[in-house]
Amino acid sequence: MLKYLLQRLFWMVPLLIGISLVSFLIIHLAPGDITTTESGFDPKASEESRQKLREIYNLDKPVIVQYGLWLQRMVKMDFGTSFASHQRPVFWQTKDKEGNVTPGMIQEALPITLLINVLSLALILVIALPLGVVSALTQNRAPDRAITLFVFVGFAIPGFWLALLMMYWTGVVHDWLPISGLHSQGAESMNWFARALDTLKHLALPVFISALSGLAGISLFVRNGMLDVLHQDYITTARAKGLPENTIVYGHALRNALLPLITILGLSIPGLIGGSVIAESIFAIPGMGKLFYDAVLMRDFPVIMGILTIGSALTLLGNLLADIAYAWADPRVRRGVMQ
C-alpha cells in the first residue's frame, strides 16, 4: 500500500503541471486582458499607457515565458499579486516592512466557501440517504414515485431561477430571511450567539440552493445502489436464514450499496473549495465562487490560476483519498492494490 501511495503521489506532480499549463494557455486564448478592463474605465487611455500596463504585468512576454515565471512562484506557494487596483496577494497574507499585514484574497474567501459547502454536504447526506433507502424499499409504489418526482424536479430546476424565487418569497414578501451578504448591519456589536444566529440566517438560502441538485443526485444514486444490492444472492441467503429485515437492510445491503458513494464524496472535495458561483454571486457572498467569477470578468490571471490550481490539486487528492477509502472498505479492491 505504501508503494502504491508513493507512486500515486509521484504521478500527481506531472499531472498537476500539465493541468496548470493547459489552463494557462486556455486563459490566454481568451480575447482581452487586464489592460482592456483597466483602460475601459478611462476613454482617454492611450495605446502607450496600455503597453506600459502590459509591461508591468509581464503580459508583453511570450505566453510560455509568462507560464515559466508563474510556475517558479507556484513552486514556492506564491500565486502572485492580483492585477486589480488593490494589488492584494492572491493566496496568503503578506507583511510589509512597516509590519502592516495584507490578507490574501483566497485566504479570506476560503473559510466562507468551506462553511457553506460543508453545511450543504451535511444536509445532502442527512436527507438523501434516507430518501434513497425508502425509495428502494418501496420500489414502484407511492413513496418511490414521489421521491423520484422530487429527484427529477431537483435536477430540472435552474439554480439561479430558484435562488431568485426564494429571495423574493422569503426575503421580500415575508421578510423571513436576509437575502444578501453574511452579516446584518451592526453585527459587530452583537454578542457571539446573536452574531452566529445572524450568520446562519444569511447562510440558510445559499446552503439550500447549493444542496438541492446534490440532494437529488445522491438520493437517486443511493436508490439505484440499494436496488442492485437487494437482488444479490447473499441478501436472499440472509433472508432465508431468518435475519431481521432491519439487519439485512442496514447491516448488509446499505453498507455495500454505499461503497460507490465513497468515490462521489472523494470527488466532492474540490467542490468544497471551488464553491458555488451561482449561489455566491446571487447572494453577494464573498466566497471562492464569487471571487473566481469576478476574476474572470476582470481578466485577473493570477487569481484565476490560483483558484484553478488549488481546485486541480484537490481533484487529484480527492481521487487518491477515494481510492484509499474504497480499498479500506472493500477487501477485493485492497487485494488488487496490493498485487
Side-chain angles (χ1 to χ4, degrees), residues 304-327:
I304 298 173
M305 282 303 301
I307 296 176
L308 288 178
T309 303
I310 292 175
S312 301
L314 287 170
T315 301
L316 297 174
L317 181 62
N319 283 331
L320 178 60
L321 292 177
D323 290 344
I324 294 172
Y326 214 96

Side-chain angles (χ1 to χ4, degrees), residues 205-221:
L205 287 179
V207 168
F208 173 76
I209 298 300
S210 299
L212 185 62
S213 60
L215 182 65
I218 295 296
S219 60
L220 182 62
F221 192 84

Side-chain angles (χ1 to χ4, degrees), residues 44-117:
K44 296 182 179 180
S46 63
E47 183 59 33
E48 182 180 355
S49 63
R50 294 180 182 180
Q51 184 60 32
K52 287 182 179 179
L53 279 176
R54 292 190 182 96
E55 293 175 1
I56 291 173
Y57 296 133
N58 290 322
L59 297 176
D60 59 325
K61 296 180 172 60
V63 175
I64 196 64
V65 175
Q66 295 181 45
Y67 176 75
L69 295 173
W70 176 86
L71 189 61
Q72 290 178 5
R73 294 193 302 268
M74 195 270 287
V75 172
K76 305 173 185 177
M77 292 301 294
D78 176 16
F79 290 98
T81 303
S82 171
F83 285 170
S85 57
H86 51 66
Q87 294 287 297
R88 290 176 56 189
V90 171
F91 183 61
W92 199 251
Q93 65 186 25
T94 58
K95 184 182 295 186
D96 59 19
K97 296 179 180 178
E98 299 177 356
N100 298 319
V101 176
T102 304
M105 301 175 70
I106 294 178
Q107 177 190 359
E108 281 192 340
L110 184 57
I112 299 170
T113 294
L114 276 176
L115 177 61
I116 293 174
N117 287 278

Side-chain angles (χ1 to χ4, degrees), residues 4-332:
Y4 171 76
L5 290 177
L6 292 176
Q7 288 178 345
R8 289 290 300 271
L9 290 172
F10 173 78
W11 283 108
M12 281 174 61
V13 176
L15 275 175
L16 184 60
I17 293 175
I19 293 171
S20 66
L21 176 59
V22 172
S23 301
F24 197 90
L25 294 176
I26 291 176
I27 290 172
H28 282 74
L29 285 175
D33 52 36
I34 189 64
T35 62
T36 306
T37 56
E38 288 283 343
S39 58
F41 294 107
D42 183 6
K44 296 182 179 180
S46 63
E47 183 59 33
E48 182 180 355
S49 63
R50 294 180 182 180
Q51 184 60 32
K52 287 182 179 179
L53 279 176
R54 292 190 182 96
E55 293 175 1
I56 291 173
Y57 296 133
N58 290 322
L59 297 176
D60 59 325
K61 296 180 172 60
V63 175
I64 196 64
V65 175
Q66 295 181 45
Y67 176 75
L69 295 173
W70 176 86
L71 189 61
Q72 290 178 5
R73 294 193 302 268
M74 195 270 287
V75 172
K76 305 173 185 177
M77 292 301 294
D78 176 16
F79 290 98
T81 303
S82 171
F83 285 170
S85 57
H86 51 66
Q87 294 287 297
R88 290 176 56 189
V90 171
F91 183 61
W92 199 251
Q93 65 186 25
T94 58
K95 184 182 295 186
D96 59 19
K97 296 179 180 178
E98 299 177 356
N100 298 319
V101 176
T102 304
M105 301 175 70
I106 294 178
Q107 177 190 359
E108 281 192 340
L110 184 57
I112 299 170
T113 294
L114 276 176
L115 177 61
I116 293 174
N117 287 278
V118 167
L119 291 175
S120 300
L121 183 60
L123 181 64
I124 289 170
L125 294 178
V126 168
I127 299 177
L129 291 180
L131 284 181
V133 172
V134 170
S135 182
L137 295 178
T138 59
Q139 184 182 13
N140 298 326
R141 298 204 293 271
D144 179 36
R145 292 191 178 98
I147 294 172
T148 302
L149 176 63
F150 163 75
V151 167
F152 282 109
V153 169
F155 274 126
I157 293 180
F160 70 90
W161 177 82
L162 182 62
L164 294 174
L165 183 66
M166 294 298 293
M167 288 172 69
Y168 176 74
W169 185 55
T170 62
V172 178
V173 176
H174 297 289
D175 195 23
W176 290 340
L177 294 171
I179 59 176
S180 66
L182 277 177
H183 305 289
S184 301
Q185 272 190 328
E188 296 81 6
S189 59
M190 299 178 182
N191 59 49
W192 69 270
F193 180 78
R195 185 179 173 86
L197 185 61
D198 178 69
T199 302
L200 289 177
K201 287 181 179 179
H202 281 79
L203 291 178
L205 287 179
V207 168
F208 173 76
I209 298 300
S210 299
L212 185 62
S213 60
L215 182 65
I218 295 296
S219 60
L220 182 62
F221 192 84
V222 173
R223 176 188 183 274
N224 294 336
M226 283 291 294
L227 288 176
D228 182 61
V229 171
L230 287 172
H231 291 91
Q232 297 293 325
D233 291 338
Y234 69 89
I235 297 295
T236 304
T237 303
R239 287 198 172 105
K241 289 180 178 180
L243 291 178
E245 188 66 17
N246 286 339
T247 302
I248 295 173
V249 171
Y250 300 105
H252 297 285
L254 182 60
R255 179 180 178 182
N256 289 284
L258 293 182
L259 286 177
L261 189 61
I262 295 174
T263 304
I264 303 298
L265 294 178
L267 294 176
S268 68
I269 292 178
L272 297 179
I273 307 299
S276 173
V277 175
I278 294 176
E280 291 182 2
S281 298
I282 291 178
F283 293 103
I285 295 177
M288 294 284 284
K290 189 173 187 302
L291 178 63
F292 184 74
Y293 175 74
D294 293 341
V296 170
L297 291 182
M298 292 185 60
R299 309 294 196 275
D300 197 344
F301 297 151
V303 177
I304 298 173
M305 282 303 301
I307 296 176
L308 288 178
T309 303
I310 292 175
S312 301
L314 287 170
T315 301
L316 297 174
L317 181 62
N319 283 331
L320 178 60
L321 292 177
D323 290 344
I324 294 172
Y326 214 96
W328 173 78
D330 193 338
R332 296 169 298 177

